[in-house]
Every structure is written in structure tokens, then in C-alpha cells.
Amino acid sequence: AQSVTQLDSHVSVSEGTPVLLRCNYSSSYSPSLFWYVQHPNKGLQLLLKYTSAATLVKGINGFEAEFKKSETSFHLTKPSAHMSDAAEYFCVVSVYNQGGKLIFGQGTELSVKP
Amino acid sequence: EPEVTQTPSHQVTQMGQEVILRCVPISNHLYFYWYRQILGQKVEFLVSFYNNEISEKSEIFDDQFSVERPDGSNFTLKIRSTKLEDSAMYFCASSEVLGQGYGYTFGSGTRLTVV
């Protein structure tokens, strides 16, 4: 079975400092992994995706994530946080051979202090 | 940028009543999905829909739930007789291509409150 675990339910950073949101996955197959972001009263927006190409994936708004098979991790990073980054972030895995079904982590709420 | 539109944004209903949640997927997308998130819990898959039929459904998606694409543009989720535990945020999503590596476009969600 496939699953994802987000290691922090809440992360707080100061504006201009680095962001690290941690995600570990479990999969018997080569996984497809995603990060989605949800701003208040908005939909779930795709930040980036890993699909077995380059292990370092760049996404929108300066975010990137590195797929590390040896650590079964797919952590999301950003060098410098902006106030507009405050949102809920979800690490997601696509279920193998079930037509695009996604399994979500429990989410990490990112707060950015001025 | 194309969007998935969900209406209403918030619905309050009495237990036992029927509700219909509406979604307008992106026009050239062929695959449609419903997910839900109970407050404080993970986002959960409910159902996927392609070519006018259900392609996958979860254990949550029992006989109380149904989906329909009534007119070629809307995609609806009906809950026949709502229970308190159906209170959740319901997300509609669509995708152009089916496959592991493709992300969806999600709507903003409908918050359903059953009282």
C-alpha cells in the first residue's frame, strides 16, 4: 500500500528565512509524488510533481523538492519565505495502477511571521 | 488560467436531507473526481468518473452517494440522506489525462455542514 506522512502539522518561520516542510512516503512501486498548496478559501493548487525524471524538482513560487529514494523522503523547501506563502501544504502520492487516485498527507500549516 | 468551479461554497443542511454539490470541470478535461476532508483529518478520495461512469470508488462512497454528469459541463455529487458525519469540505477535481504522473486541477471546495 502507498502512503505519505507529513512530519509536522505546523511550521512557523520568519519572512526571509528558509522553509522546510517534511514528507516521507511509502510505496512498493516507483512513486509519483506531488506537493499541493491551499490558501484560505481557495482550491488545492499544484506546486510541483515528481514523476521519476530529475530528483530535484522545481515548482512555482520558488519552491522545490528533492526525491530521495534511500530516505523515502520528498521534502519541500524554499530559500526565503514570503508572507504570501502562509497556507496549508499537502504532500500527495499517486496510487499505482488506480487511474490517478491520490493519497494525501495530513497537511502542514505554514505560518510566516513579519 | 482555467479553473474548476464549485457551488455553493458553503451549504448547511438538516440531517436526513438530500444535497447536491455542483462542479464545473475544465472544459477539455475528461476525468473527474470528488475528494472530501473532514475537519482535522486527511483529504480522502471518494470517486473518479470517466466516460459517464464511475471508474474507481472508495469504501466511503456507499449507496448514499452518487455522481452524475447531467449536461456535459456540470459534474455533481449527490448525498441522498445526509448524516452528521458527512459534514466536511468536498473538493471536485478534473484532469485532462489519466495517469500516475499527472496532477489534477482542484476546485475551491464546498463546505457541507449537516445539523
Side-chain angles (χ1 to χ4, degrees), chain A residues 5-46:
Chain A
T5 302
Q6 291 181 246
L7 300 170
D8 306 291
S9 58
H10 186 231
V11 169
S12 182
V13 300
S14 297
E15 191 175 22
T17 64
V19 175
L20 170 64
L21 305 183
R22 299 182 294 165
C23 173
N24 286 116
Y25 70 90
S26 173
S27 177
S28 304
Y29 306 95
S30 181
S32 291
L33 293 158
F34 309 83
W35 276 96
Y36 279 85
V37 61
Q38 184 182 26
H39 292 273
N41 301 314
K42 299 286 187 184
L44 293 157
Q45 181 185 20
L46 180 65

Side-chain angles (χ1 to χ4, degrees), chain A:
Chain A
Q2 289 156 286
S3 66
V4 288
T5 302
Q6 291 181 246
L7 300 170
D8 306 291
S9 58
H10 186 231
V11 169
S12 182
V13 300
S14 297
E15 191 175 22
T17 64
V19 175
L20 170 64
L21 305 183
R22 299 182 294 165
C23 173
N24 286 116
Y25 70 90
S26 173
S27 177
S28 304
Y29 306 95
S30 181
S32 291
L33 293 158
F34 309 83
W35 276 96
Y36 279 85
V37 61
Q38 184 182 26
H39 292 273
N41 301 314
K42 299 286 187 184
L44 293 157
Q45 181 185 20
L46 180 65
L47 268 182
L48 51 80
K49 61 184 180 184
Y50 166 76
T51 57
S52 73
T55 55
L56 182 62
V57 182
K58 293 189 186 299
I60 60 172
N61 301 333
F63 284 95
E64 60 183 41
E66 186 171 8
F67 174 75
K68 290 187 176 179
K69 187 175 179 180
S70 60
E71 298 177 10
T72 62
S73 69
F74 189 58
H75 301 335
L76 182 70
T77 59
K78 182 173 180 177
S80 176
H82 191 271
M83 296 296 291
S84 61
D85 295 327
E88 185 95 17
Y89 291 79
F90 295 94
C91 182
V92 180
V93 65
S94 178
V95 178
Y96 180 77
N97 208 26
Q98 284 193 32
K101 176 181 171 181
L102 301 180
I103 293 177
F104 281 71
Q106 63 268 49
T108 298
E109 184 181 353
L110 175 66
S111 301
V112 182
K113 297 175 287 192

